[in-house]
Amino acid sequence: MTLEQKIDKAIRNVPDFPKPGIQFKDITPILENHSLSKEIIESFAKQWEGKIDAVAGVESRGFLFGFPLALALDIPFILIRKKGKLPYKTVSYKYDLEYGSAEIEMHVDTVSTGMRVLVHDDLLATGGTAEAAAELIRKEDGFIAGFSFLVELGFLNGKERLEKYSNEIECLVNY
Ligand code: AMP
């Protein structure tokens, strides 16, 4: 079985969560499978080795594979969190949602000028979250080296939104 097939088999589809009409891609069964989790990290590490200086993980499922990936590559891990969660001085970016707006933050001293940063999250849907993360990193003069996701919901065309930052967009499984 390929890695893609193994991930597809492990993901649990939960209908109507968190609201009616959404099919939630639950990755928790992957976390319970340590050999598959290791294989995923090895695959990401092979793809990004030598190309990035840091991994930025988006709260909260972006932390699950983002931090082990940074450790595997011997590079720093950056936390991107929802407003109000980080204790030290922060830089923030506000973005529009379908209804209302959201704001994400990271610590001021984490991204240095020209640092090649990989934006990582578990899943790419509309691309709004990853786009906001990219804007936040650029605000600190970081360079967006690419994006990585376990899952892409291709029918939502999220990739199109991210191509203005980098053409290096890796998704292990596509739906
Ligand atoms: P978006 O900003 O639309 O690309 O949404 C991406 C974020 O929402 C990621 O952090 C995902 O974890 C979460 N997300 C969106 N849709 C789903 C889904 N169908 N299943 C699981 N997570 C989702």
Side-chain angles (χ1 to χ4, degrees):
M1 228 193 287
T2 64
L3 179 58
E4 185 179 356
Q5 287 167 333
K6 286 182 205 172
I7 295 170
D8 174 50
K9 209 170 149 229
I11 284 173
R12 177 165 44 206
N13 294 305
V14 183
D16 300 320
F17 183 88
K19 51 185 179 184
I22 303 283
Q23 190 191 61
F24 195 83
K25 299 286 181 194
D26 177 18
I27 62 160
T28 60
I30 297 177
L31 304 175
E32 291 163 21
N33 184 338
H34 62 278
S35 65
L36 177 56
S37 296
K38 276 186 181 170
E39 224 181 294
I40 290 168
I41 294 299
E42 278 160 19
S43 168
F44 278 143
K46 205 170 147 202
Q47 171 69 24
W48 297 102
E49 181 151 39
K51 298 180 186 162
I52 55 173
D53 302 314
V55 178
V58 185
E59 181 171 352
S60 59
R61 288 185 296 274
F63 299 165
L64 298 170
F65 288 90
F67 187 44
L69 172 60
L71 292 179
L73 293 176
D74 269 326
I75 56 175
F77 179 69
I78 297 166
L79 275 79
I80 296 186
R81 301 208 61 181
K82 288 168 191 143
K83 191 179 168 60
K85 302 276 188 182
L86 289 168
Y88 185 57
K89 281 181 232 159
T90 57
V91 55
S92 71
Y93 182 78
K94 202 170 174 179
Y95 60 106
D96 292 328
L97 297 174
E98 201 177 343
Y99 302 103
S101 64
E103 200 165 347
I104 51 170
E105 291 183 331
M106 67 182 176
H107 278 146
V108 283
D109 53 2
T110 45
V111 171
S112 48
T113 302
M115 186 186 239
R116 298 169 302 167
V117 181
L118 173 72
V119 175
H120 171 79
D121 203 354
D122 67 327
L123 183 142
L124 172 64
T126 65
T129 309
E131 181 180 30
E135 287 289 340
L136 184 60
I137 289 156
R138 276 200 174 170
K139 219 171 154 177
E140 291 291 89
D141 298 320
F143 172 77
I144 306 302
F147 297 87
S148 76
F149 306 90
L150 275 82
V151 181
E152 176 192 13
L153 302 181
F155 57 91
L156 293 172
N157 299 318
K159 266 188 185 163
E160 278 174 24
R161 243 169 125 163
L162 304 181
E163 278 162 1
K164 59 179 177 286
Y165 303 99
S166 172
N167 287 319
E168 300 283 327
I169 306 172
E170 182 190 27
C171 308
L172 299 181
V173 186
N174 193 301
Y175 294 100

